[in-house]
Amino acid sequence: MTEPVHGYMRAYPGTPDDEIEADQERMRACAVERGWELVEIHEETTAGSLAALDELVVSLRRTGTRSVLVPSFQHLGTSLVLQAHIVDHLLWATGAEVYSVGARR
């Protein structure tokens, strides 16, 4: 049985479709490589919004999933402090750890 993982990424208006699709494909490939099943990708589509992050938390709590995959940690925020805060929030709120495509597990 494969471990489920939820994806999270930012896909703001103006981001080229091929760039969004490439990030999604990289997450799918990474999940397969790690033996995970990517069950859903939550996309933040409005700059400054955390609506998709809130939906991610709800989904993680509902399903009990303990892993989140992002194309890169920059998808969590533009500063290291914000990135760390969101990683801590997900761990505290749901018990989920965040993994980045390309980073070693």
Side-chain angles (χ1 to χ4, degrees):
M1 186 166 137
T2 58
E3 177 185 343
V5 63
H6 283 253
Y8 176 82
M9 63 182 286
R10 296 186 183 267
Y12 296 146
T15 304
D17 288 343
D18 60 336
E19 189 176 312
I20 293 169
E21 291 167 8
D23 281 341
Q24 293 169 339
E25 185 53 39
R26 288 177 45 235
M27 285 195 292
R28 285 186 198 95
C30 181
V32 168
E33 181 180 298
R34 294 180 182 198
W36 294 339
E37 177 188 1
L38 184 59
V39 294
E40 187 173 7
I41 298 175
H42 301 266
E43 292 185 9
E44 208 67 75
T45 58
T46 304
S49 174
L50 295 175
L53 185 68
D54 292 340
E55 292 171 8
L56 173 62
V57 168
V58 169
S59 293
L60 293 170
R61 287 179 176 161
R62 180 176 34 83
T63 63
T65 302
R66 295 289 176 248
S67 298
V68 174
L69 186 60
V70 295
S72 69
F73 285 108
Q74 282 82 16
H75 282 262
L76 299 177
T78 54
S79 74
L80 292 176
V81 172
L82 180 55
Q83 293 169 21
H85 176 74
I86 291 176
V87 167
D88 287 347
H89 172 66
L90 289 169
L91 183 60
W92 178 83
T94 68
E97 293 192 47
V98 180
Y99 300 90
S100 175
V101 171
R104 292 192 174 154
R105 186 170 188 193

